[in-house]
Amino acid sequence: MFERRNIKHIYLRTIKQVKDFLFSDKSREFFIFLFFFLVAGGFWLLQTLNNDYEAEFSIPVRLRGVPNNVVITSEPPAELRVKVKDKGTVLLNYMLGKSFYPVVLDYSDYQGVDNQVRIYAPQFEKKVLSQLNVSTRLLSMKPDTLEYIYSTGASKLVPVKLRGTVSAGRQYYLSDTIFHPDSVLVYAPEGVLDTITAAYTQRVELKDISDTLKRQIPLRIQKGVKFVPSSIEMLLPVDIYTEKTVEVPLRGVNFPADKVLRAFPSKVQVTFQIGLSRFRQISANDFHIYVSYEELLRLGADKYTVKLKNIPDGVSHIRFNPEQVDFLIEQVSPNYGN
């Protein structure tokens, strides 16, 4: 109850103070000053708007009537930037009240050379002037040439390739680079189409990736060329490195029938880094240490430095223990091994 009375008292007191202010001599003087200030401001604004000014506006550009067997590979500019000069009142009308209609280009009205159409300013200037006041001066139009390139259905499928660099962080590695789709359809004039062998992405720079990454990447824009689709999904699977050791036997190859290789030790420990997801897939059978008879003869020593003849995909940072083995070429009877 007390709070309601208190609020009512404050409300009535505030209303009384407002009324006293509005009907006071100072209030009347303030409103008279404000009235004449607004009138003076209005006359100043009208006088100012009566002067000439320059302004820039944009007018949309549209291409229509394209046949079904034609693909526009480079679109014309989306808008014209028009610079005009007129009185401020006219320019204010353009800004606040007038909406410009698009400059419409009809495909059948223009003839191209080598699948390229150029429409110069005199050919579309009337479409701009028809929307301007008679008193308005057209100072400039940008661009002054509307250009587009088309293909009459010629296309082919090309692979997607990465443009740029991607790298994993410490102790991680990129197991693959996957594009979806991995190929796109390219439309271009025949002379240009023959030179295109791949669709490259826009430049990508990604460093120290530590988790699988998925990105939508636009394809690099080429003049007169249209890719469908114009962007692809890029997947970068990231795996963490782990270390594994396997024992790989040394095998002699191209030895005469009466000679065999004796290596000490006969097996070498191969330690390497591999992604955790492939740890169980890689075994000793994926590595081969072949020692040829001719190579040993050329050494002129009894120590052989271990080398792998093949390295499985995804394997890196390979180490051998031992790095060198002792060997001898043993003479055996012709019936050895039978």
Side-chain angles (χ1 to χ4, degrees):
M1 180 66 76
F2 174 76
E3 290 182 357
R4 289 183 179 178
R5 288 179 179 176
N6 194 31
I7 293 172
K8 183 176 181 182
H9 175 71
I10 294 172
Y11 172 74
L12 293 174
R13 187 176 64 184
T14 304
I15 292 296
K16 183 176 182 304
Q17 288 175 347
V18 171
K19 286 182 178 179
D20 290 344
F21 172 74
L22 291 176
F23 291 103
S24 64
D25 291 339
K26 289 184 178 180
S27 174
R28 284 194 293 271
E29 290 175 1
F30 171 75
F31 284 116
I32 291 171
F33 167 78
L34 183 62
F35 170 76
F36 283 107
F37 176 79
L38 292 174
V39 170
F43 280 117
W44 172 83
L45 182 62
L46 288 174
Q47 183 63 33
T48 301
L49 290 176
N50 204 40
N51 295 330
D52 285 345
Y53 297 95
E54 295 180 3
E56 190 173 88
F57 303 98
S58 64
I59 300 179
V61 176
R62 300 287 183 268
L63 177 64
R64 70 179 184 187
V66 179
N68 293 332
N69 66 329
V70 171
V71 177
I72 304 300
T73 55
S74 283
E75 299 280 347
E79 64 178 20
L80 285 171
R81 300 298 298 178
V82 178
K83 190 174 184 179
V84 297
K85 184 175 183 178
D86 208 332
K87 294 188 181 302
T89 50
V90 178
L91 298 181
L92 188 63
N93 178 53
Y94 290 147
M95 294 178 185
L96 301 179
K98 185 176 179 61
S99 58
F100 292 99
Y101 296 106
V103 172
V104 177
L105 309 175
D106 199 309
Y107 179 86
S108 60
D109 290 343
Y110 306 99
Q111 297 296 321
V113 178
D114 294 330
N115 293 56
Q116 188 168 1
V117 174
R118 287 189 176 93
I119 307 167
Y120 299 100
Q123 296 174 271
F124 58 83
E125 187 175 316
K126 289 183 179 179
K127 297 180 181 182
V128 175
L129 292 174
S130 65
Q131 301 189 59
L132 300 177
N133 196 294
V134 177
S135 61
T136 303
R137 289 174 55 199
L138 179 61
L139 300 179
S140 66
M141 288 188 297
K142 294 180 181 180
D144 59 3
T145 303
L146 301 178
E147 180 183 13
Y148 62 89
I149 302 173
Y150 62 91
S151 167
T152 53
S155 65
K156 68 179 180 181
L157 202 64
V158 295
V160 175
K161 292 188 178 181
L162 177 66
R163 183 169 173 262
T165 56
V166 293
S167 61
R170 187 180 178 87
Q171 295 300 318
Y172 294 90
Y173 80 103
L174 296 172
S175 59
D176 203 352
T177 301
I178 303 170
F179 297 118
H180 181 74
D182 59 1
S183 299
V184 295
L185 206 58
V186 55
Y187 292 89
E190 290 189 12
V192 178
L193 190 64
D194 294 339
T195 66
I196 300 172
T197 58
Y200 290 91
T201 65
Q202 289 190 5
R203 190 162 191 84
V204 176
E205 298 291 342
L206 296 170
K207 297 180 179 179
D208 298 328
I209 303 171
S210 59
D211 198 3
T212 296
L213 190 66
K214 183 186 289 187
R215 288 275 182 90
Q216 194 72 23
I217 307 294
L219 297 177
R220 186 166 64 95
I221 297 173
Q222 295 178 240
K223 185 176 180 180
V225 177
K226 182 175 184 178
F227 295 108
V228 179
S230 59
S231 66
I232 51 90
E233 183 181 85
M234 181 177 69
L235 179 66
L236 300 174
V238 175
D239 202 356
I240 188 168
Y241 274 121
T242 187
E243 200 165 76
K244 186 173 183 177
T245 300
V246 295
E247 283 195 337
V248 181
L250 280 77
R251 303 185 187 278
V253 294
N254 298 330
F255 274 69
D258 60 344
K259 290 181 174 60
V260 294
L261 172 68
R262 300 295 186 191
F264 307 96
S266 61
K267 292 184 178 180
V268 173
Q269 287 187 341
V270 180
T271 302
F272 54 91
Q273 286 188 345
I274 185 68
L276 190 61
S277 63
R278 298 195 62 205
F279 185 85
R280 295 183 181 276
Q281 299 174 14
I282 301 295
S283 68
N285 295 329
D286 296 304
F287 299 89
H288 302 288
I289 304 176
Y290 292 137
V291 185
S292 73
Y293 180 71
E294 296 82 0
E295 185 178 4
L296 295 182
L297 292 180
R298 287 196 299 268
L299 283 178
D302 56 0
K303 285 188 179 293
Y304 173 76
T305 301
V306 177
K307 297 186 289 289
L308 282 175
K309 298 303 180 183
N310 68 300
I311 299 176
D313 291 338
V315 169
S316 64
H317 298 87
I318 300 171
R319 306 192 307 274
F320 304 107
N321 184 26
E323 294 183 355
Q324 288 187 327
V325 297
D326 295 317
F327 73 91
L328 60 85
I329 299 173
E330 184 177 346
Q331 184 80 30
V332 296
S333 64
N335 294 324
Y336 175 80
N338 291 338

